[in-house]
Amino acid sequence: MLKGNINHSVCLWCYPDYTLEQLCDAAKQIGITGIDLVGPEGWPVLKKYGLHSPMCNGAEISLEEGFNDKRFHAQLFKNYSEMIPKVAEAGYTNLICFSGNRRGMDDKTGQDNCVEGLEPLLPLAQKHGVVLVMELLNSRIDHPDYHCDRTAWGVEVAKRLSSKNFKLLYDIYHMQIDEGDIIRNIREYHQYIAHYHTGGVPGRNEIDETQELYYPAIMRAIKDTGFKGHVAQEFIPVQQDKIASLKKAVEICDV
């Protein structure tokens, strides 16, 4: 039995050998209540299994082409304007978005452009009760040149938008690589965070004793902030029994 202090989710893309139905079935048996990064085509399957979609996708262009570049604003406005009502109609809240790559751009210009691109979408998001959630990704290893690669960078965008309909996806794996200081940043900036992802460092594999992060302490820090959203496992299992690895990760995080 899980303790109920952490709402557990899992990212679909980490299990390419499993269909969505198979992962839903395994999730139900473990006690996981959500499947991350599923678009509208997969929502009926989630509903069939009584599972939530804690972080929806399907409106973004790509990780590299995001709100920090004005060239993409028109397409992004169209995509998100169409997706926001769909997310709400399905009964979900969080919709992922990305800063995009720097391409030589300085931090302030990137933040200015993100604010300019996101601001027109906020009235629609507010109307439908949807939160646009920008993911923090590392730019050292996995996503070279990605702009929103520091917590403070994303928080500055959130402060300037000053809306409960824009928050951050704090990916623990990515932020350990680019800045560390995980627990302090969670405590300091938790009011700007809508969602968390896990992953073992280095390698983005199991979050057990083979990697450098101590997830029980991180989870306790998240719990202590009063967080009521979901924490999603986003590690790529290397053990032969991938579902056993997932179950162990949930147990590690169930504080």
Side-chain angles (χ1 to χ4, degrees):
M1 294 293 292
L2 299 178
K3 294 181 176 71
N5 296 319
I6 300 291
N7 294 313
H8 300 280
S9 183
V10 59
C11 292
L12 173 63
W13 74 268
C14 298
Y15 298 84
D17 297 332
Y18 290 78
T19 66
L20 178 55
E21 292 232 12
Q22 289 171 328
L23 188 60
C24 285
D25 183 59
K28 289 287 286 186
Q29 294 183 47
I30 293 170
I32 291 169
T33 58
I35 308 289
D36 266 40
L37 303 178
V38 176
E41 70 287 344
W43 295 343
V45 178
L46 298 189
K47 291 180 185 297
K48 173 183 173 182
Y49 284 86
L51 293 170
H52 188 56
S53 180
M55 185 56 62
C56 303
N57 67 357
E60 68 279 0
I61 299 173
S62 71
L63 302 181
E64 297 81 18
E65 300 163 309
F67 283 97
N68 73 337
D69 194 323
K70 293 183 180 182
R71 293 178 299 169
F72 307 124
H73 281 183
Q75 186 62 53
L76 288 167
F77 183 84
K78 179 178 184 297
N79 291 2
Y80 280 86
S81 294
E82 292 172 356
M83 187 64 72
I84 287 169
K86 293 179 182 178
V87 170
E89 185 179 356
Y92 305 135
T93 301
N94 294 328
L95 178 59
I96 201 167
C97 66
F98 301 99
S99 67
N101 283 4
R102 293 173 180 269
R103 297 182 176 86
M105 191 181 303
D106 64 85
D107 281 348
K108 184 178 183 304
T109 300
Q111 289 164 336
D112 290 345
N113 290 347
C114 282
V115 170
E116 183 178 325
L118 286 158
E119 210 160 32
L121 289 165
L122 293 180
L124 183 65
Q126 182 177 8
K127 175 184 175 183
H128 290 281
V130 169
V131 180
L132 302 179
V133 187
M134 183 172 286
E135 184 164 15
L136 294 152
L137 302 172
N138 85 74
S139 60
R140 287 185 57 229
I141 305 296
D142 298 279
H143 303 287
D145 206 42
Y146 187 73
H147 215 153
C148 188
D149 61 352
R150 297 291 192 281
T151 308
W153 194 97
V155 166
E156 179 60 24
V157 174
K159 285 180 176 178
R160 290 181 56 185
L161 288 169
S162 187
S163 170
K164 64 181 181 180
N165 298 98
F166 175 83
K167 290 196 174 185
L168 302 174
L169 195 172
Y170 189 90
D171 190 303
I172 298 162
Y173 160 80
H174 285 298
M175 290 301 93
Q176 172 69 359
I177 289 172
D178 265 9
E179 65 184 15
D181 211 5
I182 299 297
I183 289 177
R184 188 194 63 81
N185 279 328
I186 287 170
R187 288 172 175 166
E188 182 170 352
Y189 298 122
H190 66 89
Q191 65 267 38
Y192 302 105
I193 298 170
H195 197 71
Y196 292 90
H197 279 170
T198 74
V201 181
R204 186 156 221 145
N205 303 127
E206 276 80 354
I207 64 168
D208 56 19
E209 66 281 355
T210 62
Q211 52 89 52
E212 68 191 31
L213 289 162
Y214 186 63
Y215 270 95
I218 295 170
M219 291 301 118
R220 282 194 290 271
I222 292 171
K223 178 177 73 74
D224 289 347
T225 67
F227 181 71
K228 300 301 181 185
H230 277 75
V231 174
Q233 302 296 333
E234 198 185 22
F235 68 90
I236 302 168
V238 294
Q239 299 300 321
Q240 184 173 359
D241 190 336
K242 300 184 187 310
I243 298 305
S245 280
L246 175 59
K247 183 176 185 291
K248 182 175 180 180
V250 168
E251 292 170 350
I252 289 169
C253 290
D254 195 54
V255 297

